[in-house]
Amino acid sequence: MEKHPQYVIGLMSGTSVDGIDAALVKISGQQADLNVELVAAHTYPYPDELRSQILQLAQGTPLSLPALAEVDDKIAQAFAEAALAVQANQRQPADLIGSHGQTVYHRPPVNRGDRYNPQSQTSSSKSTIELGYSLQLGRGAMIAHLTGITTVSNFRAADIAVQGQGAPLVPRIDVCLLGHPTQSRCIQNIGGIGNLTYLPPAPLTQLDAVCGWDTGPGNLLLDLAVAHFSEGQQTFDRNGAWAASGTPCQALVQHWLQDPYFAQTPPKSTGREYFGVEFLDQCLADARAYALSPADLLATLTELTARSIVENYRQFLPQMPDCVLLCGGGSRNLYLKERLQQLLAPRSVLTTDEVGVSAEFKEAIAFAVLGYWRVMGIPGNLPRVTGAKGQAMPLGDIFRV
Ligand SMILES: Nc1ncnc2c1ncn2[C@@H]1O[C@H](COP(=O)(O)OP(=O)(O)OP(=O)(O)O)[C@@H](O)[C@H]1O
Ligand SMILES: CC(=O)N[C@H]1[C@@H]2OC[C@@H](O2)[C@@H](O)[C@@H]1O[C@H](C)C(=O)O
């Protein structure tokens, strides 16, 4: 029988495309007894040229297949370098890598109902569902080859094959790392996109009551607007300082909240394809009538992120949580955090750092755990969250060297 991996590297680059988060963890146990110790972690920014190639690709710029293969391997190389760098000063090399890769395209499944196959009288569910499609570049085969470390990647595909959204996948890890016996918690990631895990106060093994989904925009629209107003000089609103100097236009926020994504019942997931450049262009067009300053517009987009998170909770959670724990880069946006605190009062809004789990590296840690679970044969998805049919399953493809 294969030796249980102990030291595992998790690699993640999210929808913000700001760089590769690498986390080296020491893992033991399975689920209820899972123990994860963060040994080393670092973010490795992409080279500028590669970042802009990824953004162009994600925005739909056509690419030949040889050029696509080249970008795929350049990303894999950057991921492999991040893995080797994060373990450089350790006595013990890692046994395993779990690599999320770089999402360049995400299309959730579509339930086409009868319109898709009007002739079918025997309408099996298979004939009316168009499976989702989610493409992460930075192939695991290349990462394994370059590092000499067995690598698990392509985590979303198995969930999508059984009609799941393929996202979010972190909730099952949140259960193990952040579940609380008496307190109900929302773990709110604010990356490019926002997503939540709702953890009822329950024993760790009780997975049926856990829910989660993508709430909508996190920092994506804000980052794009900052780049627009600063003419490319800045990529994000550090600490939310720019937005804090403006005033949100609630009428616009109310209008944007009418977008059907917010009212869509979970399971649901989204990405740059939806809350990206075109969405921001529409926001800028809508804002013209209100003659907002850049600071006002940033405050208004920040308000959209905050309000959409809270509206999602009110609409779809079985009950409001006792406590909200933020993670992801947006947890460092003090203005956004303050607005969430005001909107969710009297509940406490903290960061996962404050309960001992790195807010910055939680996603990278999660993919280390998912890789570990894959080789141990332990399921990684929560079908109630992703909408996958049937039983939960181990996720990812294994590349051994
Ligand atoms: N100090 C800060 N102040 C404000 N915002 C910040 C700060 N640091 C990071 N951010 C925001 O966080 C973003 C990156 O967050 P993160 O790395 O969690 O996203 P991601 O993993 O790429 O996205 P996703 O979780 O959607 O895949 C940056 O683009 C920026 O908008
Ligand atoms: C397709 C894709 O990469 N989705 C990401 C993205 O980033 C946040 C949100 O959208 C989330 O659901 C998902 O990632 C996290 C890591 C997840 O699967 O849990």
Side-chain angles (χ1 to χ4, degrees), residues 12 15 100 103 106 134 156 167-170 193 195 214 363 367:
M12 167 80 194
T15 44
H100 171 268
T103 298
H106 182 71
S134 196
R156 303 194 189 276
L169 298 179
V170 173
I193 295 297
N195 65 322
D214 286 358
E363 284 187 343
F367 283 93

Side-chain angles (χ1 to χ4, degrees), residues 14-16 18 189 191-193 219 223 236-237 239 328-329 332 363:
T15 44
S16 305
D18 53 340
N189 173 57
I193 295 297
N219 302 294
D223 287 357
F236 68 100
D237 183 14
N239 304 333
R332 291 154 79 177
E363 284 187 343

Side-chain angles (χ1 to χ4, degrees), residues 12-19 21 43 51 100 102-103 156 189-195 214 216 218-220 222-224 226 235-241 270-272 327-336 359-361 363:
M12 167 80 194
S13 175
T15 44
S16 305
V17 199
D18 53 340
D21 292 332
T43 300
R51 178 170 199 260
H100 171 268
Q102 175 65 59
T103 298
R156 303 194 189 276
N189 173 57
I190 309 176
I193 295 297
N195 65 322
D214 286 358
N219 302 294
L220 248 178
L222 275 171
D223 287 357
L224 290 168
V226 165
T235 53
F236 68 100
D237 183 14
R238 188 175 294 278
N239 304 333
T270 188
R272 284 192 98 87
C327 57
S331 66
R332 291 154 79 177
N333 181 326
L334 302 179
Y335 175 64
L336 174 58
E360 192 177 353
F361 292 103
E363 284 187 343

Side-chain angles (χ1 to χ4, degrees), residues 79 135 334:
F79 273 63
L135 180 60
L334 302 179

